[in-house]
Amino acid sequence: MSDWIRPRHLPEALEILATAPGPYRVISGGTDLMVECHLAPERRPESWLDISGLRELQGLQITEEGIRIGAATSLEAIRRHAEVVAHWPMLAASAAVTGAPPIQNRATLGGNVCNASPAADNAPTLLAYGARLEIVHHHGSRWLPYGDFHLGYRKTALQPGELLSALWIPYPPKHSRGYFRKVGTRAAQAIAKVSIAALIEVNSDGIIQSAHFGMASVAATPCALPSVSQYLLGRALCDIADMQVRQKVKQDIAPIQDIRSTTAYRLEIASRLVLEAIHKRSESKKEN
Amino acid sequence: MSTTMRINGKAFQSSSAPNARLLDVLRNECDLKGTKEGCGEGECGACAVLVNGRLVNSCLVPLGQMERAEITTVEGLPEDSALAQAFVQCGATQCGICTPGMMLAATALLAEYANPTLEEIRWGLSGNLCRCTGYGRIYAAIAQVAGGFADV
Amino acid sequence: MSLTLVKQRTDQQTASPRRVDGVAKIRGTALYVDDLPCADVLHGATVRTTAAGGTLQEVVFDPAIDWSEFVVVTARDIPGMNAVKLLENDQVVLVDRAFRHAGEAVVLLAHADPEKLGMALKGVSLVELPNTAPIFDIDAALAAQQEIIPGNIYTDYLLDRGDVAEGEHLADVVIEERFLTPSQEQLYIEPQGMLAHLQKDGSILVEGSMQCPYYVLDALVQCMGMDKDHLRVVQSTTGGAFGGKEDYPSVIACHAALLALKAGGRSVKLVYERGEDLRVTPKRHPSRTLISLGANKAGELQFIDMDFAIDGGAYRTLSPVVLSRGVIHAPGPYKCPHIRVRGRAVATNHPPFGAFRGFGAPQSIFAMEVAMDRLARKLAMDPAELRRINLLRTGDVNPTGDVVGADCFAHATLDVALEHTHYYQRLAEYRAWNAAGHQTRKGIGLATFAHGAGFTGNGELHLASRVSLQALANGHVEILCSNTEMGQGAATTLVQIAADALGLPMDRVHLAQADTSRVPNSGPTVASRTCMVVGELIQKAAGQLLQRLRETAELAAPHDAQSFAAACARLCAVAGDTLVTAQYQPPTDMRWDEQAFLGRAYASYAWAAYIAEVEVDVLTLETRVLDFTAVQEIGDAVHPVIVQGQIEGGVAQGIGYALYEDVLWNERGVMANDRLTNYIIPTSADLGFMHVVLLEGGLGAGPKGAKGVGELPMDGPAPAIVNAIQQALDIDICQIPVKPEMLLELTMSRGN
Ligand SMILES: Cc1cc2nc3c(=O)[nH]c(=O)nc-3n(C[C@H](O)[C@H](O)[C@H](O)COP(=O)(O)OP(=O)(O)OC[C@H]3O[C@@H](n4cnc5c(N)ncnc54)[C@H](O)[C@@H]3O)c2cc1C
Ligand code: FES
Ligand code: FES
């Protein structure tokens, strides 16, 4: 008989994780974990820590700087949340294209991040918005910029005994515009071949004040585009050389060929989408 | 350890392991065979049920998370509802293996939008695969219940 | 043919009675194989070869496992012949030594606990001497350095009418192309499975998901070495098939029966998990077509020259029949004096390919219809116009040399399709849109085709199908036939035909469960033959039954349900025989030369013109179907809602074939994208409404002139969509599925 613990309060959960760190597998919405168990029953965990009952990990709260989203909040709740729709439309959009309704009703934002798939749909958005992670341990908590979370293929900065408790997203700068696009294998219930979120701030002189990108499915982890951002910073929109941008994109990503797409496609479409994001800066676009 | 929930309005106590799939509990313990397994990996929606009114794939739901949950399977839907009639009349079922999940998806959809647009219908069913119908007759059935499409 | 002769239907819903299986399916009470009640059941599992052919040296059972807990079956346990009964006995039920592909069954296991079974599966290892140079490509197989079978050719057909050399001489414009189509998975949502019981009297009952109970019965007879009286096959509610449950259920049934035979009276359930189903069951044949077309300046086809090859996989199975249909349909519904189609089914180390809606025709029609658009472009002619010039008319000679009779609606379907879609207006709009430099490009594409219903040529004669009607004392009538409902609506359509012919309301007529101990062999449920051929037999049997009731039980004419019931009661009381049987009689004008591919290939062709409108995103090269119109002449729509559903469902599969679906292979020739997350079929978010226009000429070979409709909707979407994309982007496409990756390559190489 497997061991299943469903604590009601965070300290209890952290205590369990700290005292018996190894064998307990954290489960939230289960939409990744249950698939894993089905495909590889021999690797099914013996001991489960179910965090879906932790009040501290649930819900969305508006703060002065932005929004705090509990790690165990469902994508469904996120994509419908009025403040999210109003201020973080790219997040509403990325949550809305993650899987399909029965998935979004269960899948959590924390799960999407911690599962650490290079194709995670909400990762680009969180990168572009400059999200911070609130990570807790029974000794205390720490902050981590989301950009520092993914260490390698399916490897994260979470230490044994730690839980992701919340994601904090600041308000986007006043004059910024977002661009989000997912290119998947089909219109719904699709894994991304390439996806992008961009938040670009341009002043009234047409000078780029800040540019943040997040992309998925173009490297071993979801990734930002530091060289592209660097190149754009302080540059006038009319001074951007597309060839340069393409060059920088190439430096920042390392797409592979797999069952869903080709290296050539990913590379080319990534460049096109980055240029589109810069030149268009249209509001989040939902694939359909 | 046991899990207590309400299934189709009746209290039910399951003694399966908490990591058991809700799908297996429904089919094997409750003998509710209307919930089907088409893939076991959350992709097809043949196993869809409502948990607290929300559409979920029961192959991805561990029993351990169902304490006090309100679960509706196809057997718990009203038998002669307008939706059921529309499904038969419009040809929304062919081989029928996706139909229980579709009925639940349609129920969830109509609970949310009394008068959905075609876009909303297409989005609302997009986690439920049907290989027989091409979906057209299913859209038509839902529109019939809703008194037409809000946008067409 | 003037349009006034054709009925155009718009009242689908009001003209359709309720589906007889609708309520059970909607309430979830219909029982599929995995739902059948069965106490104390054992679960079965299959150990399979891993190399792409080779020889099996040894089977090693992990000594750490207590095998006495398991039922274990190997080739040695087969009481009858170790061969799957099909056209040829080349495929073993269980591998003994030689094998040809990865995924062939070697050992069968059964246990009550699925978890233990899963562990035991891993406890059996196979020592294989693998084939060092497996073949996975059609042209590589034809080059034949390594031979799987002599020459690597299962079947070589030639349709050769007129003289292509002469046609080449007469042609002013010639195009040449090479087209490829991929394999396609049926992806019925219910995976395959069987439940087998050893009965107390030593007989075996197998229940499960299948199209053809008598195929399964014949396979069991051969493998179990038992006579028909000791074997019984019962179809359970079948959750989709599309051809995929034509031949393979025989294999699973034999496996389940072998396990049951050794299981000491406990029933054995062998239901495939999705991944296993995807990896081992047969799919659509990949194809490669070399095609050359020539026309004079006026656009009249002068010759069609095709070299059509399909990958049959490692065993012959149904490939010759698939090939034959592909060859016959290859030249399309066109008038052309000089036609040569060479067709070959080749052997590779892929798992055998099998039946899938369309059965060879979608592959060759794809090549022909895309080639027609190429020819139109070279002629600087509108593709619709080129078709209008060449489509068959009554009195023309068709590609197999048969004179086309009154039942010809090629022009009618094209005209209605053009009108319905405002084709020329759209064409102009899309051209303007594309010139305006928007973020997308749009196109409108066409395919015209005809699909032959029923078995090819003399096939029906060999089948000699029989159907019975049984009158019951209460005035109800039961239809006894082996044709199965698998979603396509056969149960409703057949009941409707019988009720109509008997002059009874539908609720007095019932289709008996397809149980070989009760129903006669009315042939397999394939080839769009059920409504047309079996429906016609039912009508005949109904006539016989009415006659008997009139002659021996004083049934008055006209009758109603009440007087019919009274007559039935009288007939039963005098112990008269209440069972009538009708047997297929070939039409007198069916002449078909199987060798030369000449004559009347099918009792009826259904005619169609499909139009696809697409939009391609310039940035990402993703294609979306904006609109789809299927105009189809089908003789008579017995049940318009079911017909519409068949067409929409088929078109959806065709859209998948055109844009998304691609079976990818690993280095051992096993399906690599063996999960639903990677084998992409369209969701509702990908598919809008389609427009289906039914024309009813009333001249088909079935009841009231009905024709088969099951398969033809698969033929048109891929070429129509590809033609539309080519137009939108001004590129040449030679392959499906048209994924964005391919379009990117094509547009970049053009320097765009
Ligand atoms: C049919 C289907 C379609 C899908 N489509 C998409 C898609 O389009 N895009 C996409 O990005 N994803 C998709 N997914 C994947 C999945 O739904 C998401 O990644 C989801 O957000 C995971 O959340 P969860 O709560 O269900 O995770 P779980 O399965 O509960 O957990 C996932 C992993 O994260 C860990 N974890 C979860 N929460 C925490 C926490 N708070 N602290 C520490 N560790 C934690 C778990 O231990 C586990 O390793 C799909 C899945 C399915 C089955
Ligand atoms: S069986 Fe659950 S989604 Fe397919
Ligand atoms: S009716 Fe067969 S899968 Fe939907």
Side-chain angles (χ1 to χ4, degrees):
Chain A
M1 187 83 169
S2 68
D3 180 14
W4 187 281
I5 302 181
R6 188 165 195 260
R8 303 237 124 237
H9 299 289
L10 189 55
E12 196 188 331
L14 296 174
E15 168 91 39
I16 292 160
L17 276 184
T19 49
Y24 276 93
R25 187 73 192 266
V26 170
I27 180 165
S28 188
T31 58
D32 279 313
L33 219 44
M34 292 297 282
V35 176
E36 261 175 58
C37 291
H38 177 70
L39 295 177
E42 68 282 1
R43 289 206 300 268
R44 191 171 352 178
E46 277 302 307
S47 309
W48 304 68
L49 180 73
D50 175 3
I51 59 171
S52 65
L54 299 176
R55 179 117 27 105
E56 297 90 332
L57 268 57
Q58 291 286 345
L60 303 97
Q61 289 110 36
I62 290 293
T63 68
E64 223 153 86
E65 306 93 71
I67 193 167
R68 176 191 188 272
I69 304 178
T73 310
S74 75
L75 296 178
E76 157 75 14
I78 293 169
R79 80 176 177 91
R80 283 175 184 282
H81 195 267
E83 299 284 337
V84 172
V85 173
H87 300 290
W88 296 274
M90 292 198 288
L91 181 61
S94 61
V97 295
T98 307
I103 299 301
Q104 288 163 21
N105 283 333
R106 301 264 317 156
T108 66
L109 187 59
N112 197 228
V113 166
C114 293
N115 186 59
S117 158
D121 275 323
N122 300 286
T125 310
L126 296 170
L127 286 167
Y129 280 132
R132 269 191 313 160
L133 306 184
E134 178 191 297
I135 293 169
V136 286
H137 189 271
H138 94 128
H139 298 309
S141 63
R142 63 176 174 127
W143 293 98
L144 189 72
Y146 178 52
D148 296 341
F149 185 67
H150 296 291
L151 304 179
Y153 180 70
R154 299 242 167 197
K155 194 168 172 332
T156 72
L158 272 188
Q159 297 293 317
E162 285 185 331
L163 269 183
L164 174 64
S165 50
L167 298 98
W168 294 71
I169 310 177
Y171 281 110
K174 261 249 161 60
H175 298 289
S176 64
R177 300 278 311 261
Y179 176 87
F180 172 77
R181 177 128 189 216
K182 170 181 178 178
V183 180
T185 48
R186 60 184 162 200
Q189 195 114 298
I191 299 185
K193 292 175 176 179
V194 183
S195 72
I196 183 169
L199 191 71
I200 301 176
E201 187 189 356
V202 182
N203 71 12
S204 50
D205 299 330
I207 307 292
I208 295 175
Q209 303 290 297
S210 68
H212 298 282
F213 295 88
M215 294 202 78
S217 294
V218 293
T221 65
C223 63
L225 304 179
S227 328
V228 178
S229 295
Q230 182 66 38
Y231 171 78
L232 294 176
L233 198 64
R235 197 170 290 266
L237 273 179
C238 54
D239 268 356
I240 292 166
D242 289 359
M243 279 317 290
Q244 289 278 330
V245 175
R246 283 177 167 270
Q247 213 50 51
K248 305 286 173 197
V249 171
K250 225 174 181 169
Q251 285 171 25
D252 287 339
I253 67 176
I256 57 160
Q257 162 122 22
D258 64 11
I259 222 157
R260 282 179 282 278
S261 193
T262 61
T263 305
Y265 182 80
R266 289 183 158 124
L267 196 58
E268 174 63 22
I269 301 306
S271 297
R272 290 184 182 189
L273 292 176
V274 168
L275 287 168
E276 178 82 356
I278 296 167
H279 295 306
K280 265 249 169 112
R281 294 176 299 119
S282 62
E283 272 307 298
S284 56
K285 177 165 188 285
K286 193 181 137 192
E287 263 293 296
N288 223 329
Chain B
M1 184 168 167
S2 73
T3 309
T4 309
M5 51 206 155
R6 286 180 75 77
I7 300 178
N8 298 331
K10 288 195 216 82
F12 181 80
Q13 196 172 5
S14 168
S15 50
S16 291
N19 66 359
R21 305 184 300 175
L22 176 60
L23 171 64
D24 296 322
V25 173
L26 293 171
R27 287 181 56 85
N28 303 336
E29 263 191 86
C30 310
D31 200 32
L32 293 169
K33 304 282 194 197
T35 308
K36 310 295 182 188
E37 176 163 4
C39 68
E41 50 173 283
E43 292 283 338
C44 73
C47 68
V49 300
L50 303 182
V51 171
N52 301 326
R54 291 204 182 280
L55 188 69
V56 307
N57 291 332
S58 63
C59 69
L60 297 185
V61 177
L63 177 65
Q65 298 189 336
M66 289 298 99
E67 184 66 35
R68 285 196 294 277
E70 189 79 48
I71 295 157
T72 308
T73 70
V74 68
E75 291 88 349
L77 293 178
E79 285 200 345
D80 220 18
S81 64
L83 184 66
Q85 289 182 15
F87 258 59
V88 181
Q89 281 163 15
C90 298
T93 184
Q94 289 190 22
C95 82
I97 195 81
C98 73
T99 308
M102 281 293 178
M103 287 287 291
L104 290 156
T107 301
L109 180 79
L110 288 166
E112 192 178 343
Y113 309 96
N115 190 13
T117 62
L118 178 57
E119 281 300 302
E120 283 159 352
I121 295 176
R122 287 176 57 187
W123 166 245
L125 304 181
S126 64
N128 295 73
L129 297 177
C130 175
R131 188 59 155 169
C132 295
T133 64
Y135 308 102
R137 303 302 87 215
I138 302 175
Y139 305 155
I142 295 173
Q144 178 167 318
V145 178
F149 295 103
D151 58 342
V152 182
Chain C
M1 176 69 44
S2 113
L3 259 187
T4 49
L5 287 181
V6 199
K7 208 161 75 190
Q8 236 191 87
R9 232 187 227 286
T10 47
D11 63 337
Q12 267 80 322
Q13 208 165 311
T14 45
S16 301
R18 281 186 156 227
R19 266 188 93 104
V20 300
D21 52 349
V23 170
K25 285 176 173 174
I26 275 149
R27 291 190 185 159
T29 54
L31 297 179
Y32 299 77
V33 60
D34 202 22
D35 309 332
L36 295 172
C38 183
D40 206 21
V41 72
L42 300 179
H43 297 273
T46 314
V47 179
R48 299 178 184 279
T49 55
T50 59
T55 44
L56 178 67
Q57 309 285 85
E58 200 186 341
V59 180
V60 184
F61 290 85
D62 182 348
I65 293 173
D66 177 6
W67 293 100
S68 68
E69 275 185 36
F70 293 84
V71 182
V72 181
V73 166
T74 65
R76 258 166 295 166
D77 296 302
I78 297 173
M81 188 198 248
N82 186 3
V84 183
K85 170 119 182 132
L86 262 175
L87 299 174
E88 191 179 300
N89 283 323
D90 59 345
Q91 187 180 11
V92 293
V93 174
L94 290 172
V95 172
D96 190 18
R97 210 172 145 68
F99 63 97
R100 295 184 188 168
H101 68 88
E104 288 191 55
V106 181
V107 180
L108 305 168
L109 303 173
H111 195 280
D113 179 354
E115 295 221 355
K116 281 201 169 165
L117 189 63
M119 282 178 327
L121 261 184
K122 297 201 163 63
V124 183
S125 36
L126 305 181
V127 183
E128 299 169 353
L129 188 64
N131 173 358
T132 49
I135 304 169
F136 299 124
D137 174 76
I138 292 173
D139 286 316
L142 288 172
Q145 265 114 23
Q146 293 263 325
E147 292 197 332
I148 299 166
I149 57 161
N152 287 338
I153 297 175
Y154 293 116
T155 315
D156 194 339
Y157 288 138
L158 186 65
L159 185 169
D160 196 0
R161 201 170 60 76
D163 177 1
V164 167
E166 163 92 20
E168 281 170 346
H169 192 70
L170 295 169
D172 298 314
V173 172
V174 173
I175 60 117
E176 257 183 59
E177 276 295 355
R178 179 173 185 271
F179 291 105
L180 298 175
T181 64
S183 184
Q184 186 187 20
E185 160 61 32
Q186 294 86 357
L187 216 102
Y188 31 76
I189 304 294
E190 179 209 26
Q192 304 226 21
M194 292 284 164
L195 179 60
H197 320 266
L198 177 64
Q199 315 279 65
K200 293 223 167 60
D201 64 356
S203 67
I204 293 177
L205 162 65
V206 181
E207 306 174 87
S209 189
M210 67 183 84
Q211 293 177 226
C212 313
Y214 273 93
Y215 279 5
V216 174
L217 183 70
D218 290 345
L220 286 170
V221 166
Q222 175 166 302
C223 162
M224 304 307 289
M226 293 163 76
D227 59 44
K228 281 193 163 81
D229 297 341
H230 287 88
L231 293 162
R232 180 176 161 205
V233 177
V234 179
Q235 184 223 9
S236 51
T237 310
T238 296
F242 317 113
K245 294 173 183 173
E246 176 170 349
D247 61 348
Y248 206 82
S250 298
V251 176
I252 308 177
C254 288
H255 290 169
L258 288 166
L259 282 167
L261 196 63
K262 273 188 99 174
R266 290 177 74 177
S267 302
V268 177
K269 186 191 255 190
L270 192 52
V271 173
Y272 285 175
E273 188 271 328
R274 176 60 62 186
E276 182 171 31
D277 188 301
L278 290 177
R279 289 187 297 273
V280 308
T281 66
K283 315 182 191 318
R284 186 183 302 288
H285 291 70
S287 78
R288 184 283 278 133
T289 307
L290 306 174
I291 181 169
S292 176
L293 298 182
N296 62 17
K297 286 203 185 79
E300 290 163 341
L301 282 171
Q302 298 303 313
F303 74 91
I304 299 171
D305 190 7
M306 291 168 94
D307 175 345
F308 174 61
I310 60 174
D311 180 348
Y315 297 98
R316 202 167 134 102
T317 63
L318 298 163
S319 291
V321 200
V322 171
L323 180 69
S324 139
R325 189 172 279 271
V327 166
I328 294 168
H329 285 76
Y334 303 114
K335 183 173 72 170
C336 180
H338 307 292
I339 298 177
R340 180 167 62 203
V341 183
R342 180 171 191 197
R344 282 171 291 181
V346 309
T348 67
N349 295 103
H350 282 135
F353 295 95
F356 187 172
R357 201 174 207 161
F359 214 65
Q363 291 94 317
S364 60
I365 288 176
F366 171 73
M368 181 65 195
E369 283 303 296
V370 179
M372 282 295 276
D373 266 42
R374 292 273 208 291
L375 183 63
R377 207 180 49 199
K378 199 150 181 196
L379 283 159
M381 192 178 262
D382 168 50
E385 189 54 31
L386 178 65
R387 285 175 173 84
R388 210 197 305 273
I389 291 167
N390 291 287
L391 282 172
L392 290 167
R393 293 174 191 277
T394 300
D396 286 342
V397 174
N398 81 3
T400 58
D402 195 23
V403 176
V404 179
D407 185 14
C408 175
F409 298 93
H411 286 269
T413 50
L414 176 63
D415 291 343
V416 172
L418 295 178
E419 190 187 301
H420 203 270
T421 53
H422 306 289
Y423 175 84
Y424 290 102
Q425 189 185 329
R426 282 277 175 284
L427 200 60
E429 279 170 23
Y430 291 164
R431 285 217 173 102
W433 174 271
N434 294 345
H438 293 282
Q439 279 288 343
T440 62
R441 298 286 179 273
K442 297 181 184 179
I444 183 165
L446 178 64
T448 47
F449 57 99
H451 194 98
F455 266 50
T456 306
N458 313 324
E460 288 295 341
L461 191 62
H462 299 314
L463 283 177
S465 301
R466 284 178 305 133
V467 170
S468 302
L469 292 180
Q470 172 101 57
L472 307 174
N474 62 1
H476 286 237
V477 174
E478 209 176 12
I479 305 171
L480 302 171
C481 75
S482 64
N483 294 94
T484 51
E485 169 67 54
M486 48 198 169
Q488 87 283 37
T492 306
T493 306
L494 296 182
V495 164
Q496 201 188 339
I497 291 169
D500 236 33
L502 290 166
L504 293 175
M506 273 177 74
D507 60 8
R508 297 295 167 103
V509 182
H510 313 278
L511 182 69
Q513 187 170 31
D515 172 344
T516 57
S517 71
R518 284 202 68 211
V519 302
N521 189 349
S522 50
T525 312
V526 301
S528 316
R529 65 183 288 275
T530 302
C531 168
M532 191 176 83
V533 177
V534 180
E536 184 71 14
L537 283 178
I538 287 178
Q539 223 177 27
K540 212 157 101 183
Q544 292 173 24
L545 180 61
L546 287 177
Q547 194 185 353
R548 179 166 309 163
L549 286 167
R550 289 198 184 106
E551 284 169 3
T552 56
E554 296 153 38
L555 175 66
H559 64 265
D560 60 11
Q562 241 172 353
S563 57
F564 183 88
C568 287
R570 283 192 291 277
L571 186 66
C572 290
V574 299
D577 194 356
T578 59
L579 185 85
V580 295
T581 301
Q583 177 151 2
Y584 178 80
Q585 299 296 335
T588 46
D589 58 349
M590 264 306 268
R591 257 183 298 275
W592 174 247
D593 180 340
E594 264 169 352
Q595 266 27 107
F597 276 76
L598 289 177
R600 180 153 304 170
Y602 300 100
S604 299
Y605 280 95
W607 307 88
Y610 282 12
I611 293 186
E613 293 166 61
V614 306
E615 181 172 32
V616 186
D617 189 302
V618 175
L619 209 59
T620 62
L621 282 318
E622 293 165 285
T623 302
R624 167 168 97 96
V625 176
L626 290 174
D627 220 333
F628 200 96
T629 304
V631 178
Q632 199 138 294
E633 194 287 320
I634 54 157
D636 180 80
V638 175
H639 188 293
V641 165
I642 286 176
V643 170
Q644 185 176 13
Q646 281 297 292
I647 294 169
E648 290 178 351
V651 168
Q653 292 175 353
I655 291 174
Y657 192 40
L659 295 178
Y660 307 102
E661 299 183 34
D662 201 2
V663 175
L664 304 170
W665 306 99
N666 71 13
E667 68 295 343
R668 294 175 295 112
V670 180
M671 183 175 183
N673 47 342
D674 59 346
R675 293 175 53 196
L676 294 198
T677 179
N678 291 329
Y679 184 80
I680 307 299
I681 65 167
T683 68
S684 55
D686 301 280
L687 296 176
F689 264 121
M690 302 162 194
H691 306 281
V692 175
V693 183
L694 302 178
L695 305 186
E696 302 175 82
L699 298 173
K704 292 192 185 154
K707 302 171 180 175
V709 295
E711 295 176 286
L712 83 166
M714 191 67 223
D715 296 344
I721 289 170
V722 164
N723 286 338
I725 299 174
Q726 295 187 137
Q727 186 194 81
L729 296 178
D730 193 21
I731 51 168
D732 286 351
I733 295 170
C734 303
Q735 194 175 343
I736 47 173
V738 185
K739 293 198 213 167
E741 287 77 2
M742 183 173 100
L743 289 180
L744 180 70
E745 249 176 66
L746 289 173
T747 49
M748 299 263 284
S749 69
R750 194 188 52 185
N752 191 344

